[in-house]
């Protein structure tokens, strides 16, 4: 296995998924054998804590700490949920994990299950990931056949089942408590917290929810140790990260790199820089719900603290690049349309404010912007701040808007003054 | 009435969940796969098996983008309208499809062959613009490529 790319180094370049045999040849299920063969669940949690693995779903919560929230005496059945909803615009990393190495996810889920004393795991995938679904289903079946799933796994006394759930499509299914409602066959509105999922999650039982990429790291951490994992990283957060770039760069794509690789390195070396004749205007570092950064921030390391220090968030680590021939107001208008459409309608600042902002932005794009619009947008965005709403959709929607108003203010003003979109 | 096939497929999901209600999204997807969309009658049929009212099922169905409470064409085109595709010219691809099929986004062709729907980011942003037709993802779209792809669906 290429040591520096544990998640993607074994993947085949022809797009065919690794089957059980190929996965095992690359060291697959050795982590599980090691854990079940002599590590207590508490020792598995300690190893993951020591590795400094932080959640790859956007919020960066320390994974080992999250697992430790399931109390020893918590009731059963307990659940583990793999969050593969991946509907955050500009995010396309979990797709390759489920399509090209589905056993890695299965093994990660079993290890999470063992660590938290869980009985059942759900692999939750967005419905559009039809290829991934087929391959995860096959991997689950192969794992059952090989004795990695089911009753008394590898004669350890530990039993664990995994079921695949294909979503019917809604961004809110990615929000962890919305996801739990979706799995229960309900509308994917989020839940009021507390209680938090470790105390009362799926079907009211203790539940651990992790992003697909997060879980895929776990087999490698257990197999090779926390120290090795921390050593992969250039920062305090452990491991590698699957970074991505989309937009008008020369080579859009995904790259597994040390955590803490700079934005500049990703854009200039891996993505090949901007297409000829285009300049970089800005970027969303980690999906739609992160603040815009600009050319002056390119030396920031893409880790949780590094991106935060320049005023944004690592988010999903897949960046969306804005070039100088693309209208920033049009881009923000597209983003707020998405958030407004996907709002679940529970909180007034979200359902009402997002629609309002969307209409103002569209009017601006169509040459109907009015003096005072920018103040209205800023005023709305303030109501979407964390703490005003039941979930993080609205705070996420505020990030690209508030930062665009700061970095691209003159562009917004031109739309209003010239009564048109200067890019059209 | 549910067909024996629909019933068998839905019942195969029962062991995966602690109660029947939790199966309702899977059940609706299964019936939609066979019937194309979810009519009131379809909801009644599902409700009977799961012990749910069709009003409850309607409440769930209307929340989700991929459950259809109105008829759709034989093939559904899901064209990404999210940000990376927008930057890469997704609007032009939409205009091309609309012109070619003579419909607006959200509509079905008169011959019932295609329905065009916008969809949230399909997670293939390094190959934008992207669309799905039924179960298949198509990447790096251009008008010429779209023409070739649509030919394959009758
Ligand atoms: C509106 C919304 C959508 C989200 N979508 C996803 C998603 O698709 N995948 C994901 O892993 N996390 C998503 N999250 C974050 C999850 O709520 C949760 O933090 C994450 O799954 C936890 O996993 P991690 O600790 O491994 O990162 C979303 C959050 C919000 C508010
Ligand atoms: S912030 Fe928006 S999406 Fe989240 S609970 Fe409130 S209304 Fe629903």
């Amino acid at each position: 296995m290429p040591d520096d790319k544990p998640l993607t180094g074994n993947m085949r370049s022809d797009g065919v998924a690794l089957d059980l045999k190929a996965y095992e040849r690359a060291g697959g299920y050795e982590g599980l054998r090691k854990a079940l063969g002599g590590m207590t669940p508490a020792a598995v949690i300690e190893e993951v804590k020591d590795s400094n693995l932080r959640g790859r779903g956007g919020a960066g919560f320390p994974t080992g700490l999250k697992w430790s929230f399931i109390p020893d005496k918590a009731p059963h059945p307990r659940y583990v949920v793999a969050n593969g909803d991946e509907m955050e615009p500009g995010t396309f990393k979990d797709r390759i994990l489920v399509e090209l190495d589905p056993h890695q996810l299965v093994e990660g889920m079993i290890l999470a299950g063992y660590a938290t004393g869980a009985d059942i795991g759900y692999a939750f995938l967005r419905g559009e990931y039809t290829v991934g679904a087929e391959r995860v289903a096959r991997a689950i079946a192969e794992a059952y056949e090989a004795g990695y799933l089911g009753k008394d796994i590898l004669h350890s006394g530990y039993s664990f089942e995994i079921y695949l759930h294909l979503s019917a499509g809604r961004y809110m299914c990615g929000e962890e408590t919305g996801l739990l409602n979706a799995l229960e066959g309900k509308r994917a509105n989020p839940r009021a917290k507390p209680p938090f999922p470790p105390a009362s999650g799926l079907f009211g039982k203790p539940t651990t929810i992790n992003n697909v990429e997060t879980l895929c790291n776990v087999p490698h951490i257990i197999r090779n140790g926390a120290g090795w994992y921390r050593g992969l990283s250039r920062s305090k957060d452990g491991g590698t990260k699957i970074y991505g770039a989309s937009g008008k760069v020369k080579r859009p794509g995904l790259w597994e790199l040390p955590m803490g690789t700079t934005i500049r390195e990703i854009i200039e070396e891996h993505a090949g820089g901007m297409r000829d004749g285009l300049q970089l205007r800005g970027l969303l570092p980690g999906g739609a719900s992160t603040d815009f950064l600009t050319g002056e921030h390119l030396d920031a390391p893409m880790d949780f603290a590094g991106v935060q220090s320049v005023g944004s968030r690592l988010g999903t680590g897949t960046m969306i690049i804005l070039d100088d021939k693309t209208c920033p107001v049009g881009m923000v208008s597209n983003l707020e349309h998405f958030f407004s459409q996907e709002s679940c309608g529970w909180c007034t600042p979200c359902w009402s404010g997002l629609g309002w902002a969307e209409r103002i932005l569209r009017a601006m794009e169509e040459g109907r912007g009015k003096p005072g619009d920018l103040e209205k947008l800023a005023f709305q965005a303030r109501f979407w701040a964390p703490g005003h709403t039941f979930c993080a959709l609205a705070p996420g929607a505020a990030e690209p808007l508030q930062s665009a108003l700061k970095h691209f203010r003159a562009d917004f003003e031109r739309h209003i003054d010239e009564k048109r979109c200067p890019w059209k | 009435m549910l067909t024996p096939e629909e019933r068998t497929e839905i019942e195969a999901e029962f062991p995966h969940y602690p109660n029947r209600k939790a199966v309702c999204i899977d059940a609706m997807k299964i019936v939609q796969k066979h019937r194309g969309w979810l009519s009131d009658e379809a909801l009644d049929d599902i409700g009977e098996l799961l012990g749910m009212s069709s009003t409850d099922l309607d409440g769930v169905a209307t929340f989700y983008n991929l459950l259809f409470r109105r008829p759709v064409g034989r093939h559904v085109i899901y064209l990404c309208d999210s940000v990376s595709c927008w930057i890469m010219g997704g609007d032009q691809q939409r205009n091309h499809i609309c012109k070619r099929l003579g419909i607006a986004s959200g509509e079905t062709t008169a011959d019932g062959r295609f329905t065009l729907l916008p969809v949230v980011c399909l997670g293939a942003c390094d190959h934008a613009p992207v669309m799905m037709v039924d179960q298949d993802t198509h990447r790096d779209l251009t008008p010429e490529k779209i023409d070739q792809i649509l030919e394959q669906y009758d």
Side-chain angles (χ1 to χ4, degrees), chain A residues 357 360-361 364 373-381 401 405 412:
Chain A
I360 291 175
L361 289 160
M364 237 180 240
D373 278 355
L374 300 190
E375 291 68 28
K376 276 186 206 151
L377 289 173
F379 179 77
Q380 282 301 326
L401 177 58
L405 288 171
F412 283 88

Side-chain angles (χ1 to χ4, degrees), chain A residues 17 97-99 101-103 105-106 109 123 125 130-142 162-164:
Chain A
L97 290 168
V98 294
E99 286 189 357
D101 199 357
H103 277 286
L105 172 63
V106 170
M109 289 180 71
L125 290 193
T130 49
V131 173
E134 209 174 281
R135 294 176 178 188
V136 170
R138 187 172 323 133
I140 292 171
E142 286 178 332
I162 295 183
Y163 305 125
L164 173 64

Side-chain angles (χ1 to χ4, degrees), chain A residues 325-364:
Chain A
K325 300 264 166 62
T326 298
C327 174
V329 177
M331 179 164 169
V332 176
S333 174
N334 176 284
L335 292 164
E336 298 307 329
H337 164 73
F338 159 78
F339 287 114
S340 164
Q341 169 188 296
E342 294 298 317
S343 166
C344 81
W346 193 1
C347 324
T348 308
C350 181
W351 70 257
S352 163
L354 279 168
W356 192 355
E358 184 196 3
R359 285 190 296 278
I360 291 175
L361 289 160
R362 190 177 324 123
M364 237 180 240

Side-chain angles (χ1 to χ4, degrees), chain A residues 55-57 66 83 85-86 171 174-176 209-211 214 392:
Chain A
R56 306 297 198 235
K66 181 183 276 190
N83 187 345
D85 193 51
E86 194 156 79
Y171 180 51
E175 197 281 339
E176 56 186 23
I209 302 145
N210 279 118
N211 171 257
T214 310

Side-chain angles (χ1 to χ4, degrees), chain A residues 43-120:
Chain A
V44 173
I45 293 181
E46 257 338 282
E47 197 72 33
V48 174
K49 271 190 188 165
D50 260 3
S51 75
N52 293 345
L53 169 63
R54 292 176 63 176
R56 306 297 198 235
F61 198 86
T63 306
L65 183 63
K66 181 183 276 190
W67 292 3
S68 71
F69 292 156
I70 305 280
D72 277 346
K73 299 215 165 62
H76 290 270
R78 302 178 194 170
Y79 296 100
V80 164
V81 179
N83 187 345
D85 193 51
E86 194 156 79
M87 284 178 73
E88 176 80 12
T91 302
F92 50 110
K93 65 191 181 66
D94 296 335
R95 179 197 272 271
I96 63 155
L97 290 168
V98 294
E99 286 189 357
L100 298 181
D101 199 357
H103 277 286
Q104 190 168 242
L105 172 63
V106 170
E107 187 183 359
M109 289 180 71
I110 306 170
L111 283 165
Y114 178 67
T116 58
D119 308 272
I120 295 170

Side-chain angles (χ1 to χ4, degrees), chain A residues 138-212:
Chain A
R138 187 172 323 133
I140 292 171
E142 286 178 332
Y144 270 107
E145 235 167 83
Y148 296 127
L149 274 175
K151 296 261 166 306
D152 193 19
I153 297 170
L154 302 171
H155 311 293
S156 64
Y158 175 63
S159 303
F160 189 64
E161 312 284 339
I162 295 183
Y163 305 125
L164 173 64
H165 177 94
L166 274 189
S167 179
R170 195 73 190 259
Y171 180 51
M172 282 308 299
C173 296
E175 197 281 339
E176 56 186 23
T177 57
L179 190 160
L180 298 180
N181 282 337
L183 274 174
E184 292 184 10
K186 300 172 182 159
R187 294 166 73 91
N189 295 97
R191 297 176 181 176
K193 292 165 254 190
F196 291 93
S200 175
L202 189 59
F203 303 109
K205 294 293 195 286
T207 303
T208 307
I209 302 145
N210 279 118
N211 171 257
V212 163

Side-chain angles (χ1 to χ4, degrees), chain B residues 86-126:
Chain B
W86 178 81
I87 292 173
M88 300 307 283
D91 280 358
Q92 284 96 290
Q93 311 309 325
R94 188 197 55 223
N95 293 342
H96 177 74
I97 297 175
C98 290
K99 216 168 104 199
R100 187 189 151 96
L101 299 180
I103 54 174
S105 190
E107 292 180 354
T108 301
T109 54
D111 60 1
R113 186 169 163 206
F114 289 112
T115 297
L116 174 62
L117 297 176
V119 72
V120 171
C121 179
L122 288 169
C125 317
D126 48 348

